[in-house]
Amino acid sequence: MKVFLVLIVSCWLTDIWLFASEVPFDSVTVEPPSMAGEVLVRDKPNDTGGTLIIQWAISADDTAAGAGIDGYMVYRSKNVDGPYKLIRVLPSGSISFEDTGLDDGQAYYYRISSVKDQLESQIVAGGPAIPSGQWYHTKRTPILVLMILFCITAVVFIVKAKGGYTFYVRPIAGIDAVDEAIGRATEMGRPILYVPGLGTAADVATIAAFTILGRVARKVAEYNTRVICPNYDPVVMTVCQEVVKGAYSSVGKPDMYEPKDVFFITQDQFPYTAAVNGIILREKPATNFYMGMFYAESLVLAETGFIAGSIQIAGTDQLIQIPFFVCACDYVLMGEELYAASAYLSKEPQQLGTLKAQDWGKVVVVLLIIIGTVFSTVGWSWFSALFDIG
Amino acid sequence: MTTGQLILNGIAAFLTLCIFSFLYKDNPFYKFAERLVAGVATGYWTILLYHTNFTDKVIEPIFINGQYHYIIPAVLGIMMWTRFSRKWSWISRYPIAFYIGIGSGVSITVYLYTYLFKQLQATISTPLTLDLAGLNVLIIVIAVLSALIYFFFSSAHKGIFNVASRFGIYVIMIGFGAGFGLTVMGRVALLVQRIIFLRDYIVALFGG
């Protein structure tokens, strides 16, 4: 089996069959290539485990001055005496290999040989090494530092907001349109459609969508209108049900809450889209909200809503989908505007404080860009290297 | 094309036309295709999740491999079922809170790494030079700074701040335009693929 693999690899790498057809067999003196240099095997640092890095010094024949080789064969065993199994054939010029999918705590031994024209060099042994996972990614310390600074800033502003300090949030057209759109639905006697997107309940955009749904549902309950909320994710549906139920209770109309209006459709993108399209055409909602994470279905939904004559307000942090919403919707909350809308509508100290902290974060980023560009221009590349955290 | 393939492709072609009929208006054919695809997808995902989650993450680890720590997420999953009871439905809020908390916590480092550190490094790592490459870097830096200024929410956009913010929104719109064109090209390719499928089916059906 090993010889067969060597044959295949050498044929593939060197087109040996063409060469052999032109040169008489008895005139060729074939010698095995020089073996690889020292082999070092070590656990991959800063990983979740199960990976070893195998490094070796290049074969003397694998250089510009050398005779050339076809590649390197990597063998692995759990015992020093074998049996060794061929796990990878690497092209010439290779000096390392990451062996993944290993068992943590198990010692592994490796052997490397170079190969040319089906002939293997002497084997160089390496190991043992034991893969393990690390709890702390040392290269990501800058993220930790930034997180701590951000958290401190956010906590300071949250405490200030809780103390009664009013933060200014600049007007955003899409937010101001929310109340207007709900009023329109009430006047027309038609329902409101709220689509929370295809994200999971743990996605930031979906979390912002929950807050906006809470505000919409409260207004809907006040005006005795109806909100339809078709869901893609069962957990998102559960949260949406809780949010809408809470909104009805908060305005003193818990009996008006209709659980069947917040429902699950399917967890498949285009069947979900087809079903929501059908709802738009049949229920003819006066207002459509698309808030959360959207993918290829964004334009299909927004176009259908446009055809149905609904006012449409969209908000997503999916950059590729924003242009489609811009084309087909009346108002769009772009990227971080969605999070700002959430804070603006809820007026919760936690969200307002975090929004303020985010703005300070942006100030820091602006300063880092200016300083970093100046430093790179004068040749101090160490500064930009600080952000290369691997 | 064999008779079997002809029948299967015929069903696919019929359903494709049913979905396309939506372009005219809502009709019984579209309703049929819509409900069929939603039903099939739900059934498919139910079975898929049973095999990839319930079997792989509950039955095999706990009952076969003896990995009892898997009981914790299993219990959290069972707690979600309390939603069916009016009296006990409050219990389901705990696994939801756990899920959202873990998801958000994990995504913070990923977001900071991909959306901040990598972008920041890419923006500042190229030096400004007195040539076209340098001009390119200058445009990128100014565009990034002005786009960032647009997303300042806690201060009014007035004076120079307003000028930078307006320039920022133009930059963002140019980016969106490029993204829009690229994606539309991909969608047109999908439409062409579907039309080719219908054409091939008609050719196979009637000969040619």
Side-chain angles (χ1 to χ4, degrees):
Chain A
M1 183 65 188
K2 192 169 81 180
V3 173
F4 181 64
L5 277 170
V6 170
L7 183 66
I8 289 173
V9 169
S10 58
C11 285
W12 175 57
L13 291 173
T14 64
D15 292 345
I16 187 69
W17 55 88
L18 292 175
F19 181 72
S21 66
E22 291 167 7
V23 182
F25 181 75
D26 58 1
S27 69
V28 180
T29 308
V30 184
E31 287 185 4
S34 307
M35 62 184 187
E38 188 186 5
V39 176
L40 291 173
V41 186
R42 62 191 170 93
D43 177 42
K44 187 183 179 186
N46 297 318
D47 71 341
T48 54
T51 304
L52 291 174
I53 297 175
I54 304 108
Q55 290 173 300
W56 58 91
I58 206 160
S59 158
D61 283 334
D62 191 14
T63 57
I69 63 166
D70 298 335
Y72 294 95
M73 319 279 273
V74 183
Y75 299 87
R76 180 183 67 208
S77 174
K78 288 181 179 177
N79 299 304
V80 67
D81 299 325
Y84 282 86
K85 185 185 172 189
L86 178 66
I87 54 165
R88 191 61 66 97
V89 181
L90 297 161
S92 58
S94 305
I95 54 166
S96 69
F97 168 64
E98 278 191 18
D99 194 8
T100 57
L102 305 173
D103 296 328
D104 285 344
Q106 166 71 50
Y108 290 92
Y109 299 83
Y110 289 85
R111 286 183 172 181
I112 310 287
S113 66
S114 53
V115 60
K116 181 176 170 62
D117 298 349
Q118 309 167 43
L119 289 173
E120 269 191 80
S121 70
Q122 282 185 296
I123 279 167
V124 187
I130 300 169
S132 65
Q134 285 75 48
W135 285 93
Y136 184 77
H137 193 308
T138 50
K139 286 192 82 177
R140 295 201 174 167
T141 303
I143 289 183
L144 179 69
V145 172
L146 203 74
M147 273 305 305
I148 292 169
L149 288 175
F150 179 77
C151 287
I152 292 170
T153 315
V155 168
V156 167
F157 284 117
I158 288 169
V159 169
K160 270 185 98 170
K162 279 187 172 174
Y165 188 86
T166 311
F167 291 120
Y168 171 82
V169 179
R170 74 167 167 83
I172 300 169
I175 302 174
D176 295 335
V178 170
D179 288 352
E180 179 196 326
I182 298 168
R184 179 178 185 260
T186 311
E187 285 171 10
M188 294 174 78
R190 288 203 217 153
I192 287 166
L193 179 74
Y194 194 97
V195 184
L198 268 58
T200 66
D203 290 317
V204 185
T206 315
I207 293 170
F210 293 146
T211 312
I212 297 169
L213 174 63
R215 161 74 171 205
V216 170
R218 258 196 307 280
K219 285 282 174 194
V220 162
E222 280 173 18
Y223 298 159
N224 294 333
T225 315
R226 182 180 164 217
V227 62
I228 302 169
C229 183
N231 287 275
Y232 168 86
D233 184 287
V235 180
V236 171
M237 179 201 69
T238 310
V239 179
C240 286
Q241 283 177 339
E242 288 289 324
V243 167
V244 175
K245 192 177 169 183
Y248 274 87
S249 300
S250 69
V251 296
K253 297 178 180 174
D255 296 337
M256 274 190 65
Y257 166 63
E258 182 54 70
K260 285 181 184 170
D261 281 341
V262 184
F263 54 94
F264 172 73
I265 293 180
T266 181
Q267 209 161 4
D268 209 327
Q269 184 183 18
F270 287 107
Y272 173 79
T273 309
V276 175
N277 275 349
I279 292 167
I280 292 172
L281 287 182
R282 278 156 230 152
E283 298 282 349
K284 298 221 176 297
T287 306
N288 297 336
F289 288 95
Y290 307 108
M291 299 285 171
M293 294 185 83
F294 291 86
Y295 300 94
E297 73 288 350
S298 59
L299 185 61
V300 183
L301 293 175
E303 269 297 316
T304 310
F306 177 78
I307 291 166
S310 314
I311 278 194
Q312 303 199 95
I313 304 173
T316 185
D317 58 2
Q318 295 295 299
L319 286 179
I320 295 294
Q321 305 308 324
I322 294 173
F324 295 107
F325 281 139
V326 169
C327 287
C329 292
D330 299 278
Y331 301 96
V332 182
L333 300 170
M334 298 184 298
E336 215 181 328
E337 283 183 342
L338 177 65
Y339 316 144
S342 171
Y344 186 87
L345 291 172
S346 70
K347 304 283 183 201
E348 287 174 11
Q350 287 89 342
Q351 294 211 31
L352 287 170
T354 311
L355 189 70
K356 189 77 181 169
Q358 278 180 355
D359 276 4
W360 276 103
K362 280 171 220 153
V363 171
V364 171
V365 170
V366 166
L367 291 174
L368 287 174
I369 289 174
I370 294 169
I371 293 166
T373 307
V374 171
F375 277 21
S376 290
T377 304
V378 298
W380 295 347
S381 57
W382 59 267
F383 187 77
S384 66
L386 285 176
F387 300 97
D388 183 15
I389 54 176
Chain B
M1 203 179 279
T2 63
T3 310
Q5 283 176 321
L6 211 58
I7 293 168
L8 285 175
N9 283 5
I11 295 168
F14 172 70
L15 291 172
T16 302
L17 292 173
C18 285
I19 293 289
F20 277 171
S21 71
F22 179 78
L23 293 170
Y24 171 59
K25 66 174 188 177
D26 192 25
N27 62 75
F29 291 105
Y30 177 75
K31 280 180 190 166
F32 168 72
E34 171 206 319
R35 283 158 199 192
L36 180 72
V37 75
V40 168
T42 306
Y44 172 77
W45 275 95
T46 305
I47 295 299
L48 188 74
L49 289 173
Y50 174 80
H51 286 293
T52 56
N53 284 261
F54 192 65
T55 308
D56 288 5
K57 306 274 167 58
V58 179
I59 294 175
E60 281 183 15
I62 298 171
F63 298 107
I64 298 171
N65 301 334
Q67 296 168 293
Y68 296 113
H69 56 278
Y70 277 85
I71 288 174
I72 299 168
V75 168
L76 286 169
I78 290 165
M79 285 162 76
M80 285 291 288
W81 286 68
T82 58
R83 291 200 60 76
F84 293 115
S85 158
R86 271 179 181 269
K87 191 179 173 186
W88 300 105
S89 64
W90 58 270
I91 294 174
S92 66
R93 291 177 185 177
Y94 288 94
I96 291 171
F98 185 81
Y99 173 66
I100 293 175
I102 290 283
S104 308
V106 169
S107 64
I108 283 173
T109 50
V110 177
Y111 267 67
L112 276 176
Y113 174 61
T114 52
Y115 290 109
L116 183 59
F117 276 69
K118 279 190 87 79
Q119 306 294 333
L120 194 58
Q121 203 218 357
T123 308
I124 65 175
S125 57
T126 317
L128 284 168
T129 48
L130 292 171
D131 54 14
L132 282 177
L135 180 66
N136 194 32
V137 174
L138 185 67
I139 291 169
I140 289 172
V141 169
I142 291 172
V144 170
L145 291 178
S146 50
L148 267 172
I149 288 168
Y150 173 78
F151 285 105
F152 273 85
F153 297 107
S154 59
S155 56
H157 288 186
K158 287 177 183 171
I160 186 74
F161 209 57
N162 186 39
V163 174
S165 163
R166 285 191 72 78
F167 182 71
I169 194 69
Y170 290 136
V171 167
I172 292 166
M173 287 302 161
I174 290 168
F176 285 164
F180 185 86
L182 186 72
T183 315
V184 166
M185 288 302 291
R187 302 288 169 82
V188 170
L190 289 174
L191 176 67
V192 169
Q193 193 183 31
R194 212 62 206 156
I195 289 170
I196 289 172
F197 166 76
L198 289 174
R199 184 204 64 188
D200 290 349
Y201 177 71
I202 291 166
V203 169
L205 195 63
F206 297 108

